[in-house]
Amino acid sequence: MSHRILLLGAPGAGKGTQSKKLAEEYGIDHVTTGDALRANKDMETEFGTPRSFMEAGELVPDPVVNEIVKTALSDADGFVLDGYPRNLDQAEYLSDITDLDAVVFLDVDDEVLVDRLTGRRMDPETGEIYHVDFDWPDDETIRERLVQREDDQEDTVRDRLEVYRENTEPVIEHFRQEGDLVEIDGEATPEEVFDRIRDVIEP
Ligand code: AP5
């Protein structure tokens, strides 16, 4: 069975962490607008480069992101979509291009989100994500090369949370009203959260 899963949640809710596990478990594509945009930060578009929006914690204009998602989904047999849609216009665009089997919302308190994001570090060689408190590597060579994402500084994190409240919470409300949304408490270990999601996808 193909799986078309949409994972929603605030910045730092664990979308990237859980999407990676879901993609491995079900052999589906992990489609993430954040990673796609980071890989194309300096791409020239009619609106400028994605970099200027991302470093300010703002949304990259819809036409740029819609195109990325359309291309990625048309190539995928099954997918877990992470970081999109982030506003109601993107949600409408998504409903025009695909159907979904599950819409999962990871619910996490604001102060936990800030701690998770400001403590996040990335290994530039492998792309692996760590956390200074919850998931710190034993290997010193790895520790020394870890970097912090530019938009994970506390001020930008708070701006991203505001953009989320204003633009993305209405998307969550939209799916809730349609009766499609499954809400999961995202404040547990990554393994426990994963089990909760799997229980929803395979009841
Ligand atoms: P994007 O990359 O999508 O970032 P985000 O949505 O803000 O979410 P994050 O990736 O920061 O968090 P996450 O939920 O994946 O958390 P993670 O699993 O890493 O977007 C970045 C920017 O790109 C946007 O600001 C915007 O400019 C642009 N953009 C992207 N999509 C766009 C769109 N559709 N339209 C317009 N613009 C767009 O976890 C965080 C940390 O917590 C990690 O360190 C992890 O190890 C740790 N952690 C995770 N789970 C747990 C747990 N259960 N317990 C303890 N620690 C945990």
Side-chain angles (χ1 to χ4, degrees):
M1 169 191 170
S2 94
H3 288 89
R4 290 164 299 186
I5 305 163
L6 173 59
L7 209 51
L8 294 167
K15 303 181 299 295
T17 303
Q18 299 301 329
S19 295
K20 189 165 174 262
K21 288 174 182 286
L22 287 165
E24 275 166 16
E25 173 89 3
Y26 296 115
I28 53 180
D29 289 0
H30 177 196
V31 177
T32 153
T33 46
D35 285 358
L37 289 167
R38 271 184 288 282
N40 294 284
K41 260 187 173 175
D42 296 312
M43 176 179 69
E44 282 300 339
T45 76
E46 60 180 294
F47 310 96
T49 61
R51 178 189 289 274
S52 51
F53 299 96
M54 296 175 80
E55 287 181 358
E58 290 167 10
L59 296 184
V60 174
D62 290 348
V64 177
V65 188
N66 289 345
E67 194 56 37
I68 289 173
V69 172
K70 188 179 176 190
T71 306
L73 296 192
S74 68
D75 291 344
D77 196 15
F79 59 81
V80 50
L81 180 56
D82 154 19
Y84 182 99
R86 268 175 140 93
N87 60 33
L88 287 170
D89 287 339
Q90 292 182 9
E92 198 180 325
Y93 184 83
L94 181 64
S95 71
D96 287 343
I97 60 171
T98 193
D99 294 322
L100 298 167
D101 300 315
V103 183
V104 178
F105 169 54
L106 296 178
D107 192 13
V108 174
D109 189 69
D110 265 18
E111 286 316 305
V112 176
L113 297 171
V114 174
D115 285 348
R116 284 190 188 175
L117 291 174
T118 53
R120 174 167 56 185
R121 298 292 182 273
M122 202 253 300
D123 182 344
E125 280 188 23
T126 61
E128 200 64 37
I129 299 296
Y130 296 94
H131 192 284
V132 294
D133 297 320
F134 314 126
D135 182 16
W136 200 229
D138 294 328
D139 185 330
E140 199 183 334
T141 322
I142 297 178
R143 282 204 300 267
E144 281 174 356
R145 66 177 185 235
L146 297 183
V147 293
Q148 185 175 35
R149 237 168 75 174
E150 280 157 6
D151 59 351
D152 277 350
Q153 305 285 341
E154 182 159 350
D155 283 357
T156 315
V157 164
R158 298 217 179 256
D159 290 344
R160 285 162 63 199
L161 287 175
E162 241 175 74
V163 168
Y164 168 78
R165 298 274 166 258
E166 202 172 307
N167 296 275
T168 313
E169 278 192 347
V171 173
I172 290 156
E173 196 47 43
H174 161 79
F175 284 111
R176 190 178 280 131
Q177 278 175 11
E178 299 273 302
D180 293 333
L181 194 74
V182 180
E183 307 197 32
I184 297 216
D185 179 358
E187 289 186 39
T189 65
E191 292 71 27
E192 283 167 328
V193 175
F194 182 65
D195 286 344
R196 291 172 188 174
I197 299 174
R198 206 173 31 192
D199 286 348
V200 166
I201 291 169
E202 300 176 52

